[in-house]
Structure formats: structure tokens, C-alpha cells
Amino acid sequence: MEIFGVPLPALMGQLMLGLVSGSFYAMLSLGLAVIFGMLNIINFAHGALYMAGAFLAWMGLTYWGISYWWSLLLVPLAVGLIGVVIERTMLQWLYKLDHLYGLLLTFGLALVIEGLFRYQYGVSGLPYAIPDELSGALNLGFMFLPKYRAWIIGVSLTVCLATWFIIEKTQLGAYLRAATENPQLTQAFGINVPLMVMLTYGFGVGLAGFAGVLAAPAFQVSPLMGSNLIIVVFAVVVIGGMGSILGSILTGLGLGVIEGLTKVFYAEASSTVVFIIMAIVLLLRPAGLFGKEK
Amino acid sequence: MKTKRIALAVAAALGFGSGMAQAQISDNVVRIGVLTDMSGAYSDLSGAGAVTAAKMAVEDFQAKEKPGFAIEIVSADHQNKGDISSNKAREWFDRDKVDVVTELVTTSTALAVMKVAKEKNKIALISGAASTRITNEDCNDVTVHWTYDTYSVANGTAKAVVKQGGKSWFFLTADYAFGHSLEKDASDVVVANGGKVLGSVRHPFPGTDFSSFLLKAQASGAQVIGLANAGTDTTNSIKQAAEFGITPKQSLAGLLMFITDIHSLGLKTTQTMYLTEGFYWDLNDETRAWSKRFFAHAKKMPTMVQAGEYSAIMHYLKGVKATGSDDTQKVMAWMKKTPVNDFFAKNAAIRQDGRLVHDMYLMQVKKPEESKYPWDYYHVRQTIPAAEAFQPLSASKCPLVKK
């Protein structure tokens, strides 16, 4: 059976791979959406922190023998801690100013972080082996899916949905949303708003660190890995609607799949298709697919 | 005491003499621009290492030849973008009085700067860029293509792989001038040696995830997947091919690989792959001596691009000294008529089309157990003599070639 001249198994294979890259888009744009939603900061350092996550995993394994599984737990905490330091020392002074200041600061930070890693390790990238438990491939009938790629899809979906659940359905999430809506009033109820904001930023960049650890075995660990991805991820956030949690998850996965399909039919356009969609969405729905008009 | 005074007098006389000759060197300073990728996908194979090589060339030249003119090096990051590099070159030529622009990794930047150099009548010495267009349809009389080109690397590797029985090919190609050129040159070699090309897929440059393209290559059923890309694109392709179980069922041919790529991927992943290089640090005593000095500065062994950068600048500086001038036509004429003899190239000559023809080497990557010391990565399987390594002049599309 063929669809538009492409055999069905090949198409299914590409859809599967689209879901893998979509998982990364979803996880990263989710972090951005959470941060923008709560802090009103356009966090351009996100890609650099994702890269730092991958590097921390590599350093952990190489210098201290920390396994992949421990990295999956420890690295997001470490990156989250870096985030907390950034928030306390720099970002907290910018909340009252225009968005542009936060954007410029985080963009500058991204350049500094990337530059440091590039200086130390060069750009060719460092190898990070797939953990033994996840090496090998699954025979899905239409393709051999490496177990590691299947793992990426599973884990990132779980993490994304858990985040959505916490923010939209729990008491803690309700506090967070209230703190965004009206910080003064929330504070008056005895809730420590600055602490919540700090933890939110830590959590958002922790997600980026987590995605970095997930990416390390799949790609070469390289200082450029973040900047290659971050522009697309911002397009995802814009298409989904700035600050919309569920929107960024669904758009991330959806755009991954669309990109995958583009690679089947016209590979040359695969790096552009996301931006074409962004332009169309902005024309028709300026607030994004899931965003609310203000 | 007396000898010292005589020595001083001789030195003064020499200085005076060379001072006369230098009347033709504009403001008595030769300025060399190193325009390269300092931060992107190709910065390990060229980048800061190329600037190091350029500095070594200048220091060695000054120590050995004691020129009567000063030499300055400027460097800049062209970010692999044609417009940035042509703007920078223009600024260097017009404002900063740069005499020669060198390195220029990434074909698009090289093609852009060559045009500016021609317009301003300055010299471009290209080491890192690969496309054969530089010495064919886009050739000009102020450019020398020094280190290698897509023809020479495709010729060596593709021929070797077809001879080993890899008859059917599928290409994974970086979607810009360089990738297209490499794919075309390799396809020609495959077909000429009795193989066939089943198809190709072009991926955006630079990329990170090549799994989709690799799946297409897998579906083609070709015995050999030719990687017509470079730098991090190649290393990621190779890594992901192993992950998807494509290798070792189908084999990969890295059409343009550098020692930094092998270093980054490790021998376990790359063992037994064929590749063609214009230089290897461990070829002979001379290359080892130079490379160890390079290593002391850069903390890694040189790529052919970096070694070629040194060689090109050294030849240029000798030309300036010999002609006593930094006039583009005079120096180019000297460079073209004088053979290049250094650790990088032996009895190599620059042809009318601007191509430096020198020996190339077909390498096979060692197995991990065969590697005895750091950076011991290659078996030299064949020295491809200069006369065969590059596209013959008879096939040239360069208007400068008189047929």
C-alpha cells in the first residue's frame, strides 16, 4: 500500500521519528511556556541550559562515573539549581520592566554559557553511549525502532502530562496560577510569591536539563546542540500560544510529526516548514492556537 | 667584540638593502586575514586551529627568512555565511589594508570572498572550502585552492569502496553548494568504476537529527550510504546509523572526514571506514615534528585544513620576499611558477586554474586494538599521486585554462 507514492511502512517510520523530535520540542517548549506564564520572561537561555544538561550528564559519566539513570535524576536538579541562582541574582530585578530586558539578559547568558563550553570542548561533540538496558531495537513490523527512541517518547510524554496535571489540577498549581494572575492579592493570603516564582523558574530550566540528558545518547553532545534547537522551539511556543501549557505540549508533538512528514516528501524544506506554519498561524490567530487574546 | 660589530654592520647593510626592495610593499606591512568558522559546525577542523597555524607560519617565516617587512595577522568569524564573509573581506581590503584573505572553510563563503578579492585585486588562499566550483566555473586568477577539493576526496574514497565491492550507492547530502558538489563528484566516480547510484536525500545544513534521512537511505537497499556532508553533520549521521542498525548491514562512506571527526566519534564507531585526506600528522618525521609543535599550542592534532593553511601562508610570504612586493599579480606569478616544498606538500604546483596539485592519501581507520598511542588513527592504504588525485585540466570548466 502506498500513500502519495510513499510506501506505508516508510511513512509510519517517519511518523514515529517525528514523534521523537516532537517529544523534545514538547518538553522544551513546555518549560518555556511555564516560565513565560509565571514570570513573563522570554527565556532565551533555555537552549543553552538544555545543552548544559547534556554536558553535565557526559561529565558525570566521564569524570565521576555517574550512570545515565542517576544523571536523569541529578542533572535536572543541578540545572534547576543553576536556574535558581540565575533567577535570584539577575532575573528577579527585571519582572517590572519590559519583556525585552529579560529576553536580552537570557540571550546574553545563553551566549556566555555556550561560549564557555565551546572554549573548553570544541564543537565536534563528545560521544555518550546508550545505556545497556536501552540499546538494541524493537521490531514494529514497519520499522526497527531503537529502544532508546521509544524510551524518549514514553518518558517525555509522562513528564509533560505530569507537569500539566500539577499546574492545572492540584492545589500547588492553583497557587501558582493565582500568583501569576494577581501577585499582590496572593501574597496577602500568606503565600510566598517570590519563592514560588523562583521555584517555577528552577523547575522550567530543570525540564530543559532533563531533555538534555535524554538527548545526550541520541545525538553527539555538542555546545551547538541547544542553539540548533531553540529557534524551532520558540516557533513552537508562538504557534501553541505563549504561556499555554497544554498548547505547547500538543503543538510540540504535532510539529514534530509535520516536520517528519516533510522529510518524506520534500526533505529540503524540513527546516523551514515550522516557520511557514508559524507565519500562517500568526496571520489567522495572532495569540497562537491555544492562546487567549488579552 | 669586533665580530659583533661586523655582524651589526652587515645586518644594517642588509636591512638597508631589503628596505630598498620593500619600497613596493604598501606601508611596509603585509597583512594576512584569516576568515574562518570560529564558532560553528566547522570550527574544530578549521577555526582557532587555523589561526594557530597561520601564526606559526608567520613566526617561522620571520625567524628563518628575517624579512625586512612587518607581518600582521587579523582573524574573524564568518559564521559559515556568504554575506558576512564578503562584507568582512570588503572591510579588510578597503579599510584595514589586508593583502591576502585565507582559510575560508564552507564553500559558500569561499565563493563570495573570491569575487570580492578579484574585484579589489587581492589574493584569496582557500584551505577549508571543498567545492570544485572554486577552480572550475567560478575560478579566477587571484585565488589558489590549496588543501583538497570534493573531486580529490570523492575520487579516493569512492573508488576504494567500489573496488571493495560496494557497487550500489545512496547519498545523504548537505543541502548547499558543497554537498551538491561532493555528491556529483562521488557519483561520477561510482558510475565510472562500474557502480550505480540509487538515489539521494538532501538534508538542511546544519542538522542534528538525521534518523529520517537515514531511514530513507536504508529503504533504498543500497550497499553503501555515501555521506556527502561534513563536520558535526557527518559525526551525527554515523552515530545515528549505528543506533538504527543500518551499519553494519549497509556500510557508510564518509566522503569528507577529518581527523577531528574520528577523534570525536572514537575508533569503535569508525573502525575500518575509508577516507581520503591531504595530510596526516603521522606520515613521516617532518609531519610529526610540525604537528607536535602544533599540538603544543592547540592541544589537538592538526587537520589537513590547518596544515594547508600554514603551507599556503608560508608560500605566499616567500613570494612576497622573493618579489620584494605585495603586488597581487607579481606575487601570484611567483607562487604559480615556484613549486611548493614543505612538510605538507612535496613538489606541488599551482595550476592555471588555481588548483594546488599535491599527493592525497587514502586512509583506513584503525581498529581500537591497532591504535598504539593518542591520535594513532589511520592506516595509510594508498598514496594517490598528485597527477591522479585532482580533476585533470582537460575536464576543467575554468575559462583561464588554455586548451
Side-chain angles (χ1 to χ4, degrees):
Chain A
M1 189 180 155
E2 291 194 352
I3 297 171
F4 299 122
V6 177
L8 189 63
L11 201 62
M12 296 288 285
Q14 299 290 2
L15 280 179
M16 211 67 204
L17 293 175
L19 271 184
V20 177
S21 41
S23 302
F24 283 110
Y25 295 160
M27 245 183 314
L28 289 170
S29 59
L30 174 65
L32 283 177
V34 170
I35 292 170
F36 184 77
M38 307 290 156
L39 285 76
N40 269 337
I41 292 280
I42 301 170
N43 186 33
F44 250 93
H46 220 64
L49 290 165
Y50 156 82
M51 178 271 292
F55 261 100
L56 284 177
W58 179 87
M59 288 167 166
L61 186 70
T62 314
Y63 302 141
W64 305 296
I66 298 171
S67 76
Y68 172 79
W69 303 104
W70 278 107
S71 288
L72 220 42
L73 183 72
L74 295 176
V75 169
L77 290 176
V79 175
L81 198 67
I82 298 172
V84 166
V85 173
I86 293 174
E87 200 275 338
R88 275 299 90 184
T89 52
M90 295 175 248
L91 282 180
Q92 64 154 324
W93 314 106
L94 301 179
Y95 297 143
K96 291 193 183 72
L97 300 173
D98 192 84
H99 290 332
L100 209 53
Y101 290 89
L103 187 152
L104 286 175
L105 177 83
T106 50
F107 186 58
L109 276 175
L111 292 180
V112 170
I113 297 171
E114 227 181 76
L116 287 175
F117 279 100
R118 193 163 56 212
Y119 179 77
Q120 188 61 34
Y121 296 102
V123 295
S124 292
L126 303 156
Y128 190 96
I130 293 174
D132 293 338
E133 294 87 340
L134 293 173
S135 55
L138 304 167
N139 190 352
L140 301 182
F142 54 87
M143 74 178 295
F144 277 93
L145 182 67
K147 280 185 197 158
Y148 191 79
R149 303 272 164 154
W151 161 254
I152 292 176
I153 301 178
V155 173
S156 71
L157 274 183
T158 315
V159 168
C160 287
L161 291 176
T163 309
W164 170 79
F165 184 80
I166 292 171
I167 293 180
E168 300 288 338
K169 304 286 171 197
T170 64
Q171 180 87 48
L172 178 71
Y175 288 160
L176 273 175
R177 281 177 289 136
T180 331
E181 202 68 35
N182 194 332
Q184 275 96 5
L185 195 62
T186 316
Q187 191 126 27
F189 281 115
I191 293 165
N192 188 343
V193 172
L195 178 76
M196 296 203 84
V197 167
M198 178 185 91
L199 291 180
T200 307
Y201 188 76
F203 175 75
V205 301
L207 272 180
F210 185 78
V213 184
L214 271 186
F219 312 121
Q220 286 285 89
V221 177
S222 146
L224 302 178
M225 63 193 287
S227 48
N228 287 343
L229 206 60
I230 193 68
I231 306 293
V232 178
V233 171
F234 267 105
V236 171
V237 175
V238 171
I239 295 170
M242 296 293 281
S244 161
I245 308 279
L246 200 58
S248 59
I249 300 176
L250 293 178
T251 330
L253 289 171
L255 285 176
V257 170
I258 291 173
E259 205 186 67
L261 288 177
T262 316
K263 284 176 181 170
V264 181
F265 293 108
Y266 189 65
E268 286 87 336
S270 58
S271 60
T272 343
V273 64
V274 172
F275 302 102
I276 297 171
I277 295 175
M278 182 176 85
I280 295 171
V281 168
L282 285 180
L283 277 176
L284 300 177
R285 282 184 66 101
L289 290 178
F290 297 83
K292 289 186 209 87
E293 305 269 357
K294 279 188 182 166
Chain B
M1 199 57 202
K2 197 176 179 188
T3 43
K4 199 175 178 188
R5 206 174 290 162
I6 293 169
L8 274 175
V10 172
L14 279 176
F16 185 68
S18 55
M20 293 291 278
Q22 256 77 68
Q24 288 192 324
I25 292 179
S26 48
D27 61 11
N28 209 28
V29 182
V30 173
R31 287 190 186 82
I32 300 167
V34 185
L35 193 51
T36 182
D37 175 9
M38 298 294 280
S39 54
Y42 300 151
S43 58
D44 275 0
L45 63 95
S46 55
V51 180
T52 303
K55 283 183 183 151
M56 282 171 69
V58 170
E59 280 163 19
D60 289 357
F61 179 79
Q62 281 172 326
K64 200 165 159 231
E65 307 276 340
K66 311 244 183 309
F69 51 89
I71 307 166
E72 281 175 13
I73 292 183
V74 287
S75 64
D77 185 2
H78 64 37
Q79 301 171 32
N80 297 328
K81 294 191 176 85
D83 53 337
I84 294 184
S85 49
S86 55
N87 284 343
K88 194 76 210 174
R90 228 171 259 284
E91 186 186 311
W92 275 354
F93 291 144
D94 286 347
R95 197 190 67 191
D96 302 333
K97 298 183 188 148
V98 166
D99 298 292
V100 53
V101 172
T102 63
E103 212 299 286
L104 299 166
V105 71
T106 317
T107 295
S108 39
T109 68
L111 292 175
V113 170
M114 284 168 68
K115 288 199 182 75
V116 180
K118 176 68 190 159
E119 181 191 322
K120 305 283 177 192
N121 194 29
K122 302 279 182 178
I123 296 177
L125 301 175
I126 297 170
S127 184
S131 173
T132 35
R133 275 174 62 183
I134 294 165
T135 51
N136 278 283
E137 50 269 49
D138 292 289
C139 77
N140 65 35
D141 60 352
V142 296
T143 303
V144 184
H145 198 185
W146 207 268
T147 306
Y148 71 106
D149 58 24
T150 50
Y151 180 94
S152 59
V153 287
N155 185 35
T157 310
K159 207 188 260 179
V161 174
V162 176
K163 276 188 187 151
Q164 300 286 321
K167 296 285 184 198
S168 61
W169 284 61
F170 188 93
F171 287 98
L172 188 66
T173 306
D175 192 17
Y176 73 102
F178 147 71
H180 301 174
S181 181
L182 188 51
E183 181 191 325
K184 186 194 156 291
D185 289 334
S187 300
D188 292 349
V189 174
V190 169
V191 174
N193 286 277
K196 60 175 189 282
V197 178
L198 301 180
S200 73
V201 58
R202 291 180 170 176
H203 68 77
F205 162 81
T208 14
D209 191 2
F210 295 88
S211 44
S212 300
F213 311 117
L214 286 164
L215 230 54
K216 272 190 158 176
Q218 188 178 32
S220 75
Q223 292 168 297
V224 181
I225 300 170
L227 302 177
N229 50 19
T232 48
D233 286 350
T234 306
T235 51
N236 265 320
S237 309
I238 294 173
K239 182 171 171 151
Q240 287 160 20
E243 193 193 343
F244 278 81
I246 291 172
T247 43
K249 274 180 227 150
Q250 289 163 295
S251 60
L252 295 180
L255 293 169
L256 176 53
M257 290 190 70
F258 298 89
I259 196 164
T260 39
D261 299 330
I262 309 294
H263 185 69
S264 150
L265 283 164
L267 293 182
K268 194 164 162 257
T269 318
T270 52
Q271 56 183 317
T272 71
M273 280 183 84
Y274 284 99
L275 57 128
T276 307
E277 288 245 37
F279 175 80
Y280 176 41
W281 72 272
D282 206 6
L283 281 174
N284 54 46
D285 288 343
E286 229 179 324
T287 58
R288 273 186 288 273
W290 185 83
S291 302
K292 280 176 182 160
R293 281 176 52 217
F294 180 89
F295 188 91
H297 292 288
K299 303 287 171 265
K300 52 189 164 193
M301 282 301 175
T303 59
M304 61 171 160
V305 171
Q306 292 154 348
E309 169 79 357
Y310 177 100
S311 173
I313 290 180
M314 190 54 108
H315 195 61
Y316 168 80
L317 287 173
K318 283 178 182 165
V320 175
K321 185 167 184 243
T323 55
S325 161
D326 60 359
D327 176 77
T328 295
Q329 302 312 327
K330 281 184 189 161
V331 177
M332 279 301 283
W334 185 92
M335 286 173 74
K336 284 190 174 170
K337 77 167 194 254
T338 316
V340 180
N341 260 314
D342 56 16
F343 72 95
F344 173 79
K346 289 272 171 275
N347 291 320
I350 302 167
R351 294 192 309 209
Q352 299 153 311
D353 59 352
R355 175 73 255 165
L356 177 79
V357 288
H358 58 90
D359 295 350
M360 296 287 290
Y361 307 92
L362 177 69
M363 309 289 194
Q364 191 173 22
V365 179
K366 286 186 173 177
K367 296 191 174 122
E369 62 271 20
E370 293 167 335
S371 173
K372 300 284 182 264
Y373 38 88
W375 296 87
D376 177 21
Y377 292 157
Y378 295 155
H379 293 293
V380 181
R381 290 299 185 211
Q382 189 198 339
T383 300
I384 307 165
E388 290 170 32
F390 292 89
Q391 182 193 45
L393 271 184
S394 56
S396 177
K397 293 193 202 81
C398 172
L400 297 172
V401 176
K402 294 176 196 82
K403 287 182 187 166

